[in-house]
Amino acid sequence: MSERRGLTPEAVTDAAIDIVESEGAAALTLSRVARALGVKPPSLYSHVDGLEALRRDVAMRTFEDLAGRLGHAAMGRSGPEAIRALAGAMRDFAREHPGLYGMTTRARPDDEQYAAASMRPVEPMLAVLRGYDVAGDDAIHAARTFRAAVHGFVTLENDGGFGLDVGVDESFTWLVDHLIASLEARLAGATRGN
Amino acid sequence: MSERRGLTPEAVTDAAIDIVESEGAAALTLSRVARALGVKPPSLYSHVDGLEALRRDVAMRTFEDLAGRLGHAAMGRSGPEAIRALAGAMRDFAREHPGLYGMTTRARPDDEQYAAASMRPVEPMLAVLRGYDVAGDDAIHAARTFRAAVHGFVTLENDGGFGLDVGVDESFTWLVDHLIASLEARLAGATRGN
DNA sequence: GGAGGATGACTAATGCTATTAGGATACTGC
DNA sequence: GCAGTATCCTAATAGCATTAGTCATCCTCC
């Protein structure tokens, strides 16, 4: 026995992602991944450093994917149009990949690589805001507000937090429009206290 | 053996809450709860319908607590002051009880009691918006936006999503101020397209 | 106050999970 | 062709949830 499969760390992560996509984040176990790859659980330890590391890898890949989608959405756009595109892309991603999206919300202190990866999806947003000509601190506050609002929205939506799904699209449009309006007011009013 | 402890479903939930508070949501296991209560794991099944039901009970209690805090914060206030108080109370709760707060974000389809409980913290917000004189659909959109923004913010904050903690208080103030400004603009401008 | 039923604890057992240790086999480089 | 390494395996340990079945204890009713 022990017919050698051509496993690699990437293939293991691929399988893990498939499982999260089709069965949800809770279904991601090493046993489940091993079964999907036609291998026994202990064999995975040649490629991955345990379940926790595998979860991390999935999250890292998700950051890359999401960053790519957001970068693409922002490309060639600016101002309100760019913001709308970013918000829409973020929501689309979360709805298409709820399991993966959920795996990205998790602190991993002392993991700099992870911290850096988690910031990659934020970059397109910062780029757009830079084009908006918002000053230093305000850019940070604006980015955090945008991110929090959109993240909160799609999280609640994914978790069924809005009760009946009536008018959720409109609510999202409302939210994004108000973010944009806020930014433009800030832009016009220069600096205001507090 | 089998000295009878005075266990009740409430006591079991209490113990579970203590564990979540002190060790995080991931540490909530039936074994851990049983140990804390000086009992063997199977004994818990006389009081609770398994781990999943216990998680549900913890979430239900948390909804009550949070609703109470929010109701208290909104009491005797209105307008921007009320919104600021609600947002602050929500953030404070999430920071004081990160484990519990995290357990409330989870869909449980086909559980009407849970759905009802999950809506209780939203009520103070709706009450405040009602005082704001925002019309039907707008009230819903505004409530969702407010909830999403604050929820997203405290979630990201709890998960360390903001990188260094510099200026997070200011960012939160910024976010709340903009929500309020949006509402007041909407109030003044009556109806606008889109 | 004592009998009897309900309740709540237990032990034993099953089956899932992650993880480590140690052995065998296929591939790779020389 | 052979040595070394990488990748698979089996075996084992340990922790988890959960069910079944047992027995003591408490409460109630007479």
Tab-separated table of all heavy atoms in Angstrom, chain C residues 14-29:
chain	number	residue	atom	x	y	z
C	14	DT	P	-18.835	-0.379	22.376
C	14	DT	OP1	-19.301	-1.613	21.727
C	14	DT	OP2	-17.416	-0.203	22.756
C	14	DT	O5'	-19.250	0.844	21.443
C	14	DT	C5'	-20.638	1.192	21.315
C	14	DT	C4'	-20.748	2.395	20.401
C	14	DT	O4'	-20.518	3.604	21.173
C	14	DT	C3'	-19.733	2.409	19.254
C	14	DT	O3'	-20.392	2.757	18.049
C	14	DT	C2'	-18.713	3.451	19.689
C	14	DT	C1'	-19.569	4.403	20.509
C	14	DT	N1	-18.818	5.171	21.539
C	14	DT	C2	-19.104	6.507	21.708
C	14	DT	O2	-19.935	7.097	21.059
C	14	DT	N3	-18.369	7.135	22.680
C	14	DT	C4	-17.398	6.568	23.484
C	14	DT	O4	-16.807	7.235	24.334
C	14	DT	C5	-17.140	5.156	23.254
C	14	DT	C7	-16.099	4.448	24.066
C	14	DT	C6	-17.855	4.538	22.305
C	15	DG	P	-19.688	2.468	16.651
C	15	DG	OP1	-20.678	1.891	15.726
C	15	DG	OP2	-18.390	1.778	16.911
C	15	DG	O5'	-19.375	3.949	16.174
C	15	DG	C5'	-20.338	4.989	16.383
C	15	DG	C4'	-19.639	6.328	16.259
C	15	DG	O4'	-19.028	6.670	17.527
C	15	DG	C3'	-18.491	6.333	15.232
C	15	DG	O3'	-18.612	7.498	14.431
C	15	DG	C2'	-17.251	6.370	16.091
C	15	DG	C1'	-17.758	7.198	17.255
C	15	DG	N9	-16.933	7.166	18.446
C	15	DG	C8	-16.249	6.108	18.981
C	15	DG	N7	-15.583	6.439	20.065
C	15	DG	C5	-15.844	7.775	20.246
C	15	DG	C6	-15.398	8.680	21.245
C	15	DG	O6	-14.661	8.460	22.194
C	15	DG	N1	-15.910	9.958	21.045
C	15	DG	C2	-16.738	10.317	20.009
C	15	DG	N2	-17.125	11.587	19.964
C	15	DG	N3	-17.165	9.498	19.077
C	15	DG	C4	-16.679	8.244	19.254
C	16	DC	P	-17.925	7.488	12.991
C	16	DC	OP1	-19.007	7.560	12.007
C	16	DC	OP2	-16.897	6.405	12.930
C	16	DC	O5'	-17.127	8.872	12.998
C	16	DC	C5'	-17.848	10.086	13.013
C	16	DC	C4'	-17.168	11.089	13.903
C	16	DC	O4'	-16.854	10.464	15.176
C	16	DC	C3'	-15.794	11.567	13.440
C	16	DC	O3'	-15.929	12.620	12.500
C	16	DC	C2'	-15.187	12.099	14.730
C	16	DC	C1'	-15.915	11.322	15.821
C	16	DC	N1	-15.009	10.510	16.680
C	16	DC	C2	-14.331	11.142	17.726
C	16	DC	O2	-14.502	12.377	17.876
C	16	DC	N3	-13.520	10.437	18.529
C	16	DC	C4	-13.361	9.121	18.322
C	16	DC	N4	-12.558	8.437	19.151
C	16	DC	C5	-14.045	8.450	17.251
C	16	DC	C6	-14.845	9.179	16.467
C	17	DT	P	-14.688	13.003	11.584
C	17	DT	OP1	-15.199	13.991	10.604
C	17	DT	OP2	-14.036	11.754	11.143
C	17	DT	O5'	-13.691	13.749	12.596
C	17	DT	C5'	-14.002	15.043	13.049
C	17	DT	C4'	-13.065	15.424	14.175
C	17	DT	O4'	-13.123	14.413	15.206
C	17	DT	C3'	-11.599	15.449	13.805
C	17	DT	O3'	-11.279	16.686	13.194
C	17	DT	C2'	-10.944	15.342	15.168
C	17	DT	C1'	-11.931	14.476	15.961
C	17	DT	N1	-11.442	13.085	16.198
C	17	DT	C2	-10.559	12.866	17.211
C	17	DT	O2	-10.140	13.748	17.926
C	17	DT	N3	-10.176	11.563	17.362
C	17	DT	C4	-10.585	10.484	16.603
C	17	DT	O4	-10.173	9.356	16.823
C	17	DT	C5	-11.506	10.806	15.547
C	17	DT	C7	-12.031	9.706	14.646
C	17	DT	C6	-11.895	12.078	15.386
C	18	DA	P	-9.919	16.828	12.401
C	18	DA	OP1	-9.944	18.113	11.690
C	18	DA	OP2	-9.684	15.573	11.660
C	18	DA	O5'	-8.856	16.914	13.586
C	18	DA	C5'	-8.910	18.011	14.478
C	18	DA	C4'	-7.773	17.917	15.467
C	18	DA	O4'	-7.820	16.645	16.152
C	18	DA	C3'	-6.386	18.022	14.834
C	18	DA	O3'	-5.592	18.907	15.603
C	18	DA	C2'	-5.853	16.582	14.882
C	18	DA	C1'	-6.575	15.982	16.075
C	18	DA	N9	-6.829	14.541	15.935
C	18	DA	C8	-7.530	13.911	14.951
C	18	DA	N7	-7.604	12.609	15.088
C	18	DA	C5	-6.892	12.366	16.251
C	18	DA	C6	-6.588	11.179	16.943
C	18	DA	N6	-6.988	9.962	16.543
C	18	DA	N1	-5.862	11.278	18.063
C	18	DA	C2	-5.459	12.492	18.472
C	18	DA	N3	-5.686	13.676	17.904
C	18	DA	C4	-6.411	13.538	16.782
C	19	DT	P	-4.229	19.442	15.036
C	19	DT	OP1	-3.906	20.706	15.720
C	19	DT	OP2	-4.241	19.378	13.573
C	19	DT	O5'	-3.231	18.338	15.597
C	19	DT	C5'	-3.219	18.086	17.011
C	19	DT	C4'	-2.403	16.862	17.292
C	19	DT	O4'	-3.134	15.676	16.899
C	19	DT	C3'	-1.089	16.798	16.511
C	19	DT	O3'	-0.028	17.062	17.400
C	19	DT	C2'	-1.045	15.376	15.956
C	19	DT	C1'	-2.172	14.682	16.697
C	19	DT	N1	-2.810	13.569	15.949
C	19	DT	C2	-2.719	12.308	16.464
C	19	DT	O2	-2.145	12.071	17.506
C	19	DT	N3	-3.326	11.329	15.723
C	19	DT	C4	-3.994	11.486	14.523
C	19	DT	O4	-4.499	10.527	13.956
C	19	DT	C5	-4.055	12.838	14.023
C	19	DT	C7	-4.754	13.136	12.730
C	19	DT	C6	-3.467	13.805	14.749
C	20	DT	P	1.491	17.120	16.882
C	20	DT	OP1	2.178	18.143	17.674
C	20	DT	OP2	1.498	17.196	15.414
C	20	DT	O5'	2.056	15.691	17.308
C	20	DT	C5'	1.859	15.238	18.642
C	20	DT	C4'	2.455	13.856	18.812
C	20	DT	O4'	1.583	12.878	18.181
C	20	DT	C3'	3.842	13.664	18.176
C	20	DT	O3'	4.683	13.007	19.123
C	20	DT	C2'	3.564	12.800	16.952
C	20	DT	C1'	2.351	11.993	17.403
C	20	DT	N1	1.465	11.521	16.312
C	20	DT	C2	1.071	10.208	16.295
C	20	DT	O2	1.412	9.402	17.133
C	20	DT	N3	0.246	9.866	15.255
C	20	DT	C4	-0.203	10.698	14.250
C	20	DT	O4	-0.937	10.275	13.359
C	20	DT	C5	0.251	12.060	14.323
C	20	DT	C7	-0.177	13.041	13.276
C	20	DT	C6	1.055	12.411	15.342
C	21	DA	P	6.240	12.736	18.807
C	21	DA	OP1	6.972	12.918	20.069
C	21	DA	OP2	6.647	13.487	17.595
C	21	DA	O5'	6.212	11.177	18.433
C	21	DA	C5'	5.398	10.285	19.199
C	21	DA	C4'	5.699	8.857	18.798
C	21	DA	O4'	4.755	8.445	17.780
C	21	DA	C3'	7.090	8.630	18.202
C	21	DA	O3'	7.576	7.368	18.627
C	21	DA	C2'	6.838	8.687	16.710
C	21	DA	C1'	5.447	8.045	16.609
C	21	DA	N9	4.651	8.490	15.472
C	21	DA	C8	4.574	9.745	14.941
C	21	DA	N7	3.758	9.836	13.917
C	21	DA	C5	3.266	8.562	13.759
C	21	DA	C6	2.353	7.999	12.846
C	21	DA	N6	1.748	8.694	11.882
C	21	DA	N1	2.078	6.677	12.968
C	21	DA	C2	2.682	5.975	13.935
C	21	DA	N3	3.556	6.400	14.855
C	21	DA	C4	3.807	7.709	14.709
C	22	DG	P	9.063	6.913	18.233
C	22	DG	OP1	9.613	6.169	19.389
C	22	DG	OP2	9.795	8.062	17.656
C	22	DG	O5'	8.778	5.846	17.081
C	22	DG	C5'	7.773	4.840	17.300
C	22	DG	C4'	7.633	4.028	16.042
C	22	DG	O4'	6.794	4.743	15.095
C	22	DG	C3'	8.965	3.776	15.307
C	22	DG	O3'	8.935	2.464	14.774
C	22	DG	C2'	8.965	4.844	14.226
C	22	DG	C1'	7.481	4.851	13.867
C	22	DG	N9	7.000	6.037	13.181
C	22	DG	C8	7.425	7.345	13.311
C	22	DG	N7	6.783	8.174	12.538
C	22	DG	C5	5.880	7.375	11.853
C	22	DG	C6	4.913	7.707	10.872
C	22	DG	O6	4.647	8.820	10.400
C	22	DG	N1	4.213	6.578	10.449
C	22	DG	C2	4.416	5.311	10.901
C	22	DG	N2	3.663	4.362	10.385
C	22	DG	N3	5.320	4.981	11.828
C	22	DG	C4	6.003	6.064	12.245
C	23	DG	P	10.235	1.821	14.074
C	23	DG	OP1	10.704	0.713	14.943
C	23	DG	OP2	11.169	2.893	13.665
C	23	DG	O5'	9.588	1.169	12.768
C	23	DG	C5'	8.316	0.517	12.853
C	23	DG	C4'	7.727	0.403	11.448
C	23	DG	O4'	7.235	1.692	11.031
C	23	DG	C3'	8.733	-0.028	10.378
C	23	DG	O3'	8.113	-0.916	9.475
C	23	DG	C2'	9.099	1.272	9.699
C	23	DG	C1'	7.763	2.003	9.764
C	23	DG	N9	7.858	3.446	9.646
C	23	DG	C8	8.655	4.305	10.372
C	23	DG	N7	8.510	5.556	10.032
C	23	DG	C5	7.557	5.526	9.022
C	23	DG	C6	6.990	6.584	8.262
C	23	DG	O6	7.241	7.794	8.349
C	23	DG	N1	6.066	6.102	7.341
C	23	DG	C2	5.728	4.793	7.167
C	23	DG	N2	4.821	4.518	6.235
C	23	DG	N3	6.243	3.793	7.871
C	23	DG	C4	7.148	4.237	8.773
C	24	DA	P	9.025	-1.869	8.562
C	24	DA	OP1	8.665	-3.272	8.879
C	24	DA	OP2	10.430	-1.390	8.634
C	24	DA	O5'	8.456	-1.538	7.111
C	24	DA	C5'	7.069	-1.734	6.830
C	24	DA	C4'	6.722	-0.980	5.558
C	24	DA	O4'	6.884	0.441	5.800
C	24	DA	C3'	7.611	-1.317	4.351
C	24	DA	O3'	6.778	-1.427	3.219
C	24	DA	C2'	8.538	-0.127	4.264
C	24	DA	C1'	7.605	0.993	4.723
C	24	DA	N9	8.258	2.201	5.227
C	24	DA	C8	9.230	2.283	6.190
C	24	DA	N7	9.619	3.508	6.443
C	24	DA	C5	8.854	4.288	5.585
C	24	DA	C6	8.780	5.683	5.365
C	24	DA	N6	9.526	6.561	6.035
C	24	DA	N1	7.893	6.123	4.441
C	24	DA	C2	7.143	5.230	3.778
C	24	DA	N3	7.118	3.897	3.902
C	24	DA	C4	7.998	3.492	4.839
C	25	DT	P	7.276	-2.265	1.959
C	25	DT	OP1	6.341	-3.383	1.813
C	25	DT	OP2	8.735	-2.473	2.082
C	25	DT	O5'	7.023	-1.264	0.760
C	25	DT	C5'	5.848	-0.446	0.757
C	25	DT	C4'	6.127	0.843	0.022
C	25	DT	O4'	6.872	1.752	0.869
C	25	DT	C3'	6.972	0.690	-1.254
C	25	DT	O3'	6.312	1.427	-2.259
C	25	DT	C2'	8.298	1.339	-0.886
C	25	DT	C1'	7.796	2.425	0.045
C	25	DT	N1	8.793	3.077	0.934
C	25	DT	C2	8.870	4.448	0.941
C	25	DT	O2	8.165	5.170	0.267
C	25	DT	N3	9.827	4.963	1.798
C	25	DT	C4	10.687	4.254	2.612
C	25	DT	O4	11.492	4.823	3.334
C	25	DT	C5	10.549	2.814	2.560
C	25	DT	C7	11.424	1.960	3.407
C	25	DT	C6	9.621	2.294	1.726
C	26	DA	P	6.165	0.786	-3.763
C	26	DA	OP1	4.769	0.356	-3.940
C	26	DA	OP2	7.287	-0.154	-3.977
C	26	DA	O5'	6.393	2.071	-4.681
C	26	DA	C5'	5.470	3.146	-4.570
C	26	DA	C4'	6.226	4.462	-4.538
C	26	DA	O4'	7.211	4.431	-3.485
C	26	DA	C3'	6.999	4.795	-5.816
C	26	DA	O3'	6.529	6.035	-6.274
C	26	DA	C2'	8.458	4.868	-5.367
C	26	DA	C1'	8.284	5.233	-3.905
C	26	DA	N9	9.397	4.939	-3.022
C	26	DA	C8	9.880	3.705	-2.682
C	26	DA	N7	10.888	3.738	-1.834
C	26	DA	C5	11.089	5.084	-1.600
C	26	DA	C6	12.002	5.776	-0.803
C	26	DA	N6	12.923	5.183	-0.061
C	26	DA	N1	11.924	7.131	-0.801
C	26	DA	C2	10.991	7.726	-1.554
C	26	DA	N3	10.079	7.178	-2.349
C	26	DA	C4	10.170	5.842	-2.326
C	27	DC	P	6.705	6.365	-7.839
C	27	DC	OP1	5.426	6.939	-8.312
C	27	DC	OP2	7.307	5.191	-8.517
C	27	DC	O5'	7.788	7.542	-7.793
C	27	DC	C5'	7.414	8.774	-7.172
C	27	DC	C4'	8.678	9.474	-6.696
C	27	DC	O4'	9.460	8.575	-5.881
C	27	DC	C3'	9.617	9.955	-7.804
C	27	DC	O3'	9.706	11.358	-7.691
C	27	DC	C2'	10.943	9.236	-7.507
C	27	DC	C1'	10.805	8.968	-6.011
C	27	DC	N1	11.657	7.875	-5.466
C	27	DC	C2	12.681	8.175	-4.569
C	27	DC	O2	12.898	9.352	-4.256
C	27	DC	N3	13.453	7.163	-4.065
C	27	DC	C4	13.207	5.901	-4.416
C	27	DC	N4	13.971	4.949	-3.887
C	27	DC	C5	12.155	5.562	-5.323
C	27	DC	C6	11.410	6.570	-5.820
C	28	DT	P	10.484	12.227	-8.803
C	28	DT	OP1	9.523	12.958	-9.603
C	28	DT	OP2	11.509	11.387	-9.459
C	28	DT	O5'	11.256	13.238	-7.816
C	28	DT	C5'	11.921	12.700	-6.693
C	28	DT	C4'	13.325	13.267	-6.539
C	28	DT	O4'	14.174	12.245	-5.973
C	28	DT	C3'	14.015	13.711	-7.829
C	28	DT	O3'	14.828	14.840	-7.527
C	28	DT	C2'	14.825	12.479	-8.237
C	28	DT	C1'	15.204	11.887	-6.876
C	28	DT	N1	15.291	10.387	-6.846
C	28	DT	C2	16.176	9.780	-5.967
C	28	DT	O2	16.881	10.396	-5.210
C	28	DT	N3	16.178	8.402	-6.026
C	28	DT	C4	15.418	7.603	-6.857
C	28	DT	O4	15.509	6.377	-6.816
C	28	DT	C5	14.540	8.295	-7.755
C	28	DT	C7	13.666	7.508	-8.693
C	28	DT	C6	14.513	9.648	-7.719
C	29	DG	P	15.763	15.540	-8.581
C	29	DG	OP1	15.583	17.006	-8.440
C	29	DG	OP2	15.575	14.900	-9.902
C	29	DG	O5'	17.204	15.166	-8.044
C	29	DG	C5'	17.498	15.336	-6.650
C	29	DG	C4'	18.915	14.858	-6.379
C	29	DG	O4'	18.951	13.404	-6.422
C	29	DG	C3'	19.971	15.312	-7.384
C	29	DG	O3'	21.206	15.500	-6.696
C	29	DG	C2'	20.031	14.166	-8.378
C	29	DG	C1'	19.837	12.961	-7.445
C	29	DG	N9	19.222	11.793	-8.053
C	29	DG	C8	18.281	11.756	-9.055
C	29	DG	N7	17.909	10.537	-9.381
C	29	DG	C5	18.663	9.717	-8.551
C	29	DG	C6	18.697	8.305	-8.450
C	29	DG	O6	18.043	7.472	-9.082
C	29	DG	N1	19.602	7.891	-7.467
C	29	DG	C2	20.363	8.732	-6.708
C	29	DG	N2	21.181	8.155	-5.827
C	29	DG	N3	20.350	10.056	-6.787
C	29	DG	C4	19.474	10.482	-7.730
